[in-house]
Amino acid sequence: MKKLARTFALCLVLIVMGCALVFSQVGVDKRPPKTPKTSTPKTPTKRTTTRTPSPAPRSKPRQTAPNIEMVYVQGGTFLMGSPDGAGRGNEHPQHQVTVQSFYMGKYEVTQAQYRALMGKNPSYRKGCDECPVEMVSWDDAQVFIKRLNGMQSRYTYRLPSEAEWEYACRAGTIGDYAGNLDALAWYYENSGDARLSEWNSEKLIANKNRTHPVGQKQPNAWGLYDMHGNVWEWCEDVYVNSYNGAPTDSSTWLSREDSKVHVERGGSFNDEADPLRSAYRDSWNGPNGSIGFRLVAVFR
């Protein structure tokens, strides 16, 4: 038993000595561990390019409701057209018409008013905002009226009927004109740089006739300006070459609704005296440098 204990103690000593030998040969590395290298990602170089800026989108012209002065025209009864033996054939037969009250533009529609609503000025003679707009077809006038009616709430606008136009032009008179023509109207004799009594194309060029700002001449007895001269004015009616069967209540005459030919009234800066007569009536089917328009209105 004692022999076994001595053997166990010897083995234990040998084990301890072996462990001491191993630890004496192995050193402990006290340096801090190496930090692994990390690569910083490269920021890509920005390419500098010169870009031509895109043009700004074209904005539509702003539409505004023009200020159109109206004159109240009291209704009544008058003789429309010319009596037998006077005037032209399309002014016959003279007939009685009863007109309901309405409002009429104090002036012809101007270039500034047309441009404010339509965003353009079609006039041949530009550079005069207060001159009447011209180069306006009957259809152009209808587009203007439609837009105006879409923006206004007080009136419903339209072109005058032919009967309303003549009634307003006469302003209670029965003669050829509503007063002294030179005082009332811009026409061939006074609308240019020289006064010439005979019309032809060469003298027209020499005369340099032109439109004038509205309201410079005298008004008629009912306060309406330029009913004679300056520019022709569209009426709502289609053109019929006589008054046979014409309405007697001043309504618009649309006997041929498919017609593109409409009535024009009043004469222009480029006409002699005869076409400026109150009863004179003519027709046209498109835009013209001497045709504009005037509005009629009724309360909504």
Side-chain angles (χ1 to χ4, degrees):
M1 192 65 178
K2 292 180 179 181
K3 186 178 179 179
L4 182 59
R6 285 195 297 268
T7 303
F8 178 78
L10 180 62
C11 291
L12 183 60
V13 170
L14 291 173
I15 290 171
V16 172
M17 292 176 64
C19 290
L21 179 62
V22 170
F23 279 103
S24 66
Q25 293 178 355
V26 178
V28 180
D29 191 356
K30 296 182 179 180
R31 292 175 299 174
K34 294 182 178 180
T35 303
K37 294 182 179 180
T38 56
S39 57
T40 304
K42 294 182 179 180
T43 303
T45 305
K46 292 184 179 180
R47 297 177 60 185
T48 303
T49 55
T50 303
R51 297 181 61 186
T52 303
S54 301
R58 295 179 63 184
S59 59
K60 293 183 179 180
R62 182 181 179 185
Q63 296 177 351
T64 58
N67 179 26
I68 298 176
E69 293 186 63
M70 309 300 289
V71 171
Y72 180 70
V73 177
Q74 178 67 50
T77 300
F78 80 113
L79 286 175
M80 183 174 181
S82 294
D84 291 343
R88 305 167 73 210
N90 66 353
E91 299 165 18
H92 302 145
Q94 191 176 47
H95 56 291
Q96 183 172 287
V97 177
T98 299
V99 180
Q100 300 299 316
S101 301
F102 60 94
Y103 289 85
M104 179 172 255
K106 188 175 185 178
Y107 312 105
E108 295 158 330
V109 173
T110 67
Q111 295 181 27
Q113 290 170 335
Y114 192 90
R115 185 176 59 246
L117 188 60
M118 303 295 285
K120 60 183 179 180
N121 178 10
S123 302
Y124 178 74
R125 297 161 186 84
K126 293 182 174 67
C128 177
D129 278 355
E130 296 308 311
C131 288
V133 67
E134 19 94 355
M135 287 299 289
V136 178
S137 69
W138 187 89
D139 288 334
D140 292 335
Q142 296 298 328
V143 174
F144 179 93
I145 290 167
K146 183 178 180 179
R147 290 189 183 181
L148 187 60
N149 283 332
M151 302 179 76
Q152 297 279 0
S153 59
R154 187 180 183 187
Y155 297 112
T156 295
Y157 294 91
R158 57 178 171 80
L159 292 176
S161 70
E162 189 175 9
E164 287 171 333
W165 191 96
E166 184 171 329
Y167 178 72
C169 179
R170 288 185 178 280
T173 64
I174 59 173
D176 285 341
Y177 310 103
N180 179 273
L181 188 59
D182 280 303
L184 292 171
W186 293 112
Y187 68 119
Y188 184 73
E189 294 295 330
N190 65 12
S191 67
D193 295 330
R195 298 197 175 201
L196 304 174
S197 59
E198 183 180 354
W199 186 94
N200 62 45
S201 59
E202 292 180 359
K203 288 187 176 181
L204 175 63
I205 294 172
N207 199 26
K208 296 181 180 179
N209 290 38
R210 62 190 184 277
T211 56
H212 289 261
V214 299
Q216 288 191 338
K217 290 291 187 175
Q218 292 179 7
N220 67 13
W222 291 351
L224 298 167
Y225 290 81
D226 300 305
M227 293 295 290
H228 300 289
N230 219 357
V231 292
W232 289 91
E233 299 176 13
W234 288 115
C235 291
E236 190 73 19
D237 309 56
V238 297
Y239 178 75
V240 181
N241 61 6
S242 80
Y243 283 137
N244 290 316
T248 59
D249 60 355
S250 78
S251 59
T252 299
W253 197 4
L254 298 175
S255 62
R256 298 195 309 271
E257 294 189 33
D258 60 337
S259 175
K260 297 297 182 182
V261 181
H262 291 269
V263 175
E264 56 175 348
R265 286 294 204 121
S268 78
F269 68 96
N270 227 11
D271 290 298
E272 293 187 340
D274 188 63
L276 275 68
R277 290 183 295 108
S278 300
Y280 193 99
R281 55 198 301 264
D282 210 338
S283 62
W284 199 252
N285 61 352
N288 187 291
S290 60
I291 304 178
F293 64 104
R294 183 189 304 261
L295 298 178
V296 154
V298 294
F299 278 111
R300 291 183 186 272

